[in-house]
Amino acid sequence: MAIKVYGSMISTATLRVLVCLAEKDLHFELIYVDLASGEQKKPHILSTNPFGQIPVFEDGDVKLMESRAIMQYIARTYVNKGTDLISNDLKKAAEQSMWMEVESQKFEPATTRLVWELCMKRLLFGEKEDEAVVNELEKKLGCLLDVYEARMTESKYLGGDSFSMADLYHVPVIKFLMGTKTKKLFDARPHVSAWVADILSRPSCLKAFCGCPY
Amino acid sequence: MAIKVYGSMISTATLRVLVCLAEKDLHFELIYVDLASGEQKKPHILSTNPFGQIPVFEDGDVKLMESRAIMQYIARTYVNKGTDLISNDLKKAAEQSMWMEVESQKFEPATTRLVWELCMKRLLFGEKEDEAVVNELEKKLGCLLDVYEARMTESKYLGGDSFSMADLYHVPVIKFLMGTKTKKLFDARPHVSAWVADILSRPSCLKAFCGCPY
């Protein structure tokens, strides 16, 4: 039975799952959910995601919400397909897991509102960003990227010497921000900048973002 | 070599790791970090956690930050000790993972500031909470707990029929909030209330919170 993803190309959470499926070289059906009309609050989404959010994922009788949980399921279930995203070595897996949590607890909170201000407000409502809010958020993101810069003087990727789930978690938000003035924060840090160029040029990213407005 | 946890009994993140170690029946050394004097910004913490936060975890040459990554390392490394916290069955593990992500993405953001307003401000600075902020946050938490209530009409625990990492992630914050007026939100929902009574009465919780002001 085909994998199904209910989502939208303007949802970073949906794109996170699509990049993961591309890394694992898995076929899937993308079923468009119209956020503008509130389709995510309809029963076919709510039955799997009671919060009324996308993406929703189906793989046979496995039905999941939460993009990061979906990606972990994909990585562990299709372990012999495509890129190895979570190491079998417990110590290496712990290092990857640590930076997956940094994305979840620090990078996501620092960037969600930036993506909203700099991408979504214009795209969905034709509105300009709130400059004071953007400046404040950019300060926080700059501090976070200083830690990333130091990390990547030690290892090529966040989770260690090879590309892993820790890097993958970051792809959609960074791809969106590369089209905004926040790009300067990434460009100003040479190791971060090289890492961004690396992860965004992967075939998985090019494939998943085909058809995306960013 | 003994497991070492650098942390504090007023840190929910530290307590999250301590409850996990208790569930796995593991011995450890707790090394007190004095948050009031900013000890978490000193080199012995920064060398493992460049964000200058606790807990920091050591198990031989494995050194980790981020409480949830630490707990996953513990569960996967000491799989044959104590409580089984992450299922070996991929489908069951995915269900647990989904609710672990709900805690991380929804419960934590809804409650961090509540714990600050209702517990930490008084404890650390003798200050009263900001009532308007608390009321706003309680509204959000109430909506979230409605979903939890519906979930627990279907299964005894968040991650399925048995206690798992998904429940464990919630323990310290709920323990703290039980001593505040926010307790009423949990009490008002019968399945949530029974779940709270269940997870807070586990020996692991009683053991980990011994010496905690909450």
Side-chain angles (χ1 to χ4, degrees), chain A residues 102-164:
Chain A
V102 169
E103 186 279 333
S104 178
Q105 296 297 320
K106 296 182 170 63
F107 187 81
E108 167 86 13
T111 55
T112 301
R113 181 79 189 270
L114 270 177
V115 168
W116 173 253
E117 289 293 332
L118 295 171
C119 305
M120 295 305 163
K121 270 169 83 169
R122 195 180 298 264
L123 186 73
L124 298 178
F125 306 108
E127 287 176 18
K128 269 202 73 181
E129 71 271 16
D130 181 326
E131 280 198 32
V133 169
V134 169
N135 289 342
E136 189 60 32
L137 290 168
E138 284 192 340
K139 265 188 216 163
K140 283 185 191 168
L141 180 58
C143 295
L144 182 59
L145 292 181
D146 283 341
V147 175
Y148 279 40
E149 179 69 12
R151 167 66 180 164
M152 283 182 282
T153 58
E154 291 166 6
S155 70
K156 189 176 176 190
Y157 295 97
L158 278 181
D161 290 335
S162 58
F163 179 83
S164 77

Side-chain angles (χ1 to χ4, degrees), chain B residues 10-211:
Chain B
I10 59 165
S11 146
T12 51
T14 300
L15 286 159
R16 206 179 283 123
V17 170
L18 300 193
V19 181
C20 183
L21 287 165
E23 283 290 345
K24 299 301 280 183
D25 204 17
L26 292 166
H27 295 285
F28 62 94
E29 185 185 350
L30 176 63
I31 298 137
Y32 174 68
V33 176
D34 183 27
L35 295 174
S37 70
E39 190 187 341
Q40 70 277 19
K41 306 294 180 191
K42 297 277 170 69
H44 64 294
I45 301 297
L46 286 172
S47 64
T48 300
N49 187 334
F51 301 101
Q53 293 173 334
I54 54 169
V56 156
F57 175 88
E58 288 181 14
D59 184 13
D61 64 343
V62 174
K63 298 185 178 193
L64 299 174
M65 60 175 168
E66 288 292 335
S67 60
R68 295 170 187 81
I70 294 167
M71 293 164 80
Q72 288 181 46
Y73 166 83
I74 293 168
R76 293 190 198 283
T77 304
Y78 298 99
V79 70
N80 295 322
K81 293 266 295 176
T83 310
D84 192 16
L85 294 171
I86 300 175
S87 178
N88 283 325
D89 177 272
L90 285 173
K91 197 175 162 183
K92 285 185 185 170
E95 205 171 1
Q96 293 165 353
S97 177
M98 213 165 60
W99 289 95
M100 286 156 69
E101 288 298 327
V102 169
E103 185 279 334
S104 178
Q105 296 297 320
K106 296 181 171 64
F107 186 81
E108 167 86 13
T111 54
T112 301
R113 181 79 189 270
L114 270 177
V115 168
W116 173 254
E117 289 293 333
L118 295 171
C119 306
M120 295 306 164
K121 269 169 84 169
R122 195 180 297 264
L123 186 73
L124 299 178
F125 306 109
E127 287 177 18
K128 268 202 73 181
E129 71 271 17
D130 181 327
E131 280 198 31
V133 169
V134 169
N135 290 341
E136 189 61 31
L137 291 167
E138 283 192 340
K139 265 188 215 161
K140 285 185 189 168
L141 180 58
C143 294
L144 182 59
L145 292 181
D146 283 341
V147 175
Y148 279 40
E149 179 69 12
R151 167 66 181 164
M152 283 182 283
T153 58
E154 291 166 6
S155 70
K156 190 176 174 191
Y157 295 97
L158 278 180
D161 290 333
S162 57
F163 179 83
S164 77
M165 191 68 99
D167 308 293
L168 189 51
Y169 273 10
H170 292 76
V171 166
V173 165
I174 291 180
K175 180 87 167 83
F176 275 45
L177 291 178
M178 284 302 105
T180 74
K181 62 181 186 174
T182 301
K183 179 176 187 289
K184 66 181 181 294
L185 299 182
F186 297 86
D187 291 347
R189 293 163 174 87
H191 289 87
V192 167
S193 180
W195 171 69
V196 167
D198 182 318
I199 63 175
L200 294 193
S201 65
R202 292 179 70 85
S204 64
C205 182
L206 304 177
K207 188 175 169 188
F209 274 80
C210 177

Side-chain angles (χ1 to χ4, degrees), chain A residues 60-75:
Chain A
D61 63 344
V62 174
K63 298 185 177 193
L64 298 174
M65 61 174 167
E66 289 293 333
S67 60
R68 295 169 187 81
I70 294 167
M71 293 165 81
Q72 288 181 46
Y73 165 83
I74 292 167

Side-chain angles (χ1 to χ4, degrees), chain A:
Chain A
M1 207 167 333
I3 289 171
K4 291 182 182 176
V5 180
Y6 295 81
S8 160
M9 295 301 280
I10 59 165
S11 145
T12 52
T14 300
L15 286 158
R16 206 178 284 124
V17 170
L18 300 192
V19 181
C20 183
L21 287 164
E23 283 289 344
K24 299 302 280 183
D25 205 17
L26 292 166
H27 296 285
F28 62 93
E29 184 185 350
L30 177 63
I31 298 137
Y32 175 67
V33 176
D34 183 26
L35 295 174
S37 70
E39 189 187 341
Q40 70 277 18
K41 305 295 179 190
K42 297 278 170 67
H44 65 294
I45 301 298
L46 285 172
S47 64
T48 300
N49 188 333
F51 300 101
Q53 293 173 335
I54 53 169
V56 155
F57 175 88
E58 288 181 13
D59 185 12
D61 63 344
V62 174
K63 298 185 177 193
L64 298 174
M65 61 174 167
E66 289 293 333
S67 60
R68 295 169 187 81
I70 294 167
M71 293 165 81
Q72 288 181 46
Y73 165 83
I74 292 167
R76 294 190 197 282
T77 304
Y78 298 99
V79 70
N80 295 322
K81 293 267 294 176
T83 310
D84 192 16
L85 294 171
I86 300 176
S87 178
N88 282 325
D89 177 90
L90 285 173
K91 197 175 162 181
K92 285 185 184 169
E95 205 170 1
Q96 293 166 352
S97 177
M98 212 164 61
W99 289 94
M100 287 156 70
E101 288 298 327
V102 169
E103 186 279 333
S104 178
Q105 296 297 320
K106 296 182 170 63
F107 187 81
E108 167 86 13
T111 55
T112 301
R113 181 79 189 270
L114 270 177
V115 168
W116 173 253
E117 289 293 332
L118 295 171
C119 305
M120 295 305 163
K121 270 169 83 169
R122 195 180 298 264
L123 186 73
L124 298 178
F125 306 108
E127 287 176 18
K128 269 202 73 181
E129 71 271 16
D130 181 326
E131 280 198 32
V133 169
V134 169
N135 289 342
E136 189 60 32
L137 290 168
E138 284 192 340
K139 265 188 216 163
K140 283 185 191 168
L141 180 58
C143 295
L144 182 59
L145 292 181
D146 283 341
V147 175
Y148 279 40
E149 179 69 12
R151 167 66 180 164
M152 283 182 282
T153 58
E154 291 166 6
S155 70
K156 189 176 176 190
Y157 295 97
L158 278 181
D161 290 335
S162 58
F163 179 83
S164 77
M165 191 68 98
D167 308 293
L168 189 51
Y169 273 10
H170 292 76
V171 166
V173 165
I174 291 181
K175 180 86 166 83
F176 275 44
L177 290 177
M178 284 302 104
T180 73
K181 62 181 184 174
T182 301
K183 179 175 187 291
K184 66 180 182 293
L185 300 183
F186 297 87
D187 291 348
R189 293 164 174 87
H191 289 87
V192 168
S193 180
W195 171 70
V196 167
D198 183 318
I199 62 175
L200 295 193
S201 66
R202 292 179 70 86
S204 64
C205 182
L206 304 176
K207 189 175 169 190
F209 274 81
C210 178
C212 171
Y214 285 94

